[in-house]
Amino acid sequence: MPDTVHALLVATDGTITDLHLNATEAAQLAQIRQALGDYAEALRYVRRPDGSHTVALAAETRDGQPPNLYAAIALYFHLDESLIADIQGPVIFAGFNRQGALTSLTEDAVHTIRTASVIPTAR
């Protein structure tokens, strides 16, 4: 088992930070809470036909936080759906396995999320 789980934190300004979460669940929860500023809520689980799975996590309390268009676009690219979710505040993207444990993102997922951060948005 790897020592860390590679995840990405997408800020509302499009800044992406690599997170290296501890492999133990209790430590992961503490790191995620610190990164989001609150307990996490799963916004969406994305299950891909190739077996790679991604979860988007956001703070449970998002009222008053700015929209996160970059995370919404990344989620849109992952889902191949026409609806872009209303996402507020920072979002963490991580992989997950059949048991629901967090895993490192695939290279394809990292590429998709990073690509979404360079798409110009209206300011």
Side-chain angles (χ1 to χ4, degrees):
M1 177 177 259
D3 293 331
T4 61
V5 170
H6 181 229
L8 295 176
L9 173 67
V10 180
T12 57
D13 67 358
T15 302
I16 295 180
T17 304
D18 289 285
L19 297 179
H20 298 283
L21 304 174
N22 192 292
T24 64
E25 185 177 353
Q28 282 178 0
L29 293 174
Q31 288 174 289
I32 290 168
R33 184 175 181 203
Q34 181 179 6
L36 295 176
D38 192 7
Y39 291 102
E41 173 183 16
L43 294 176
R44 193 70 177 258
Y45 291 95
V46 180
R47 292 171 175 86
R48 305 286 300 227
D50 65 3
S52 64
H53 304 310
T54 304
V55 61
L57 304 169
E60 282 186 342
T61 306
R62 296 182 295 277
D63 292 340
Q65 292 194 35
N68 191 331
L69 299 175
Y70 302 97
I73 291 168
L75 198 53
Y76 167 78
F77 284 150
H78 262 335
L79 294 173
D80 296 326
E81 293 181 358
S82 60
L83 175 67
I84 294 182
D86 178 23
I87 299 176
Q88 294 173 264
V91 174
I92 294 175
F93 288 92
F96 68 95
N97 62 22
R98 288 180 184 225
Q99 294 76 29
L102 295 184
T103 62
S104 290
L105 290 166
T106 64
E107 287 183 35
D108 184 51
V110 169
H111 175 73
T112 298
I113 295 162
R114 289 192 187 282
T115 299
S117 74
V118 297
I119 294 174
T121 58
R123 296 200 189 253

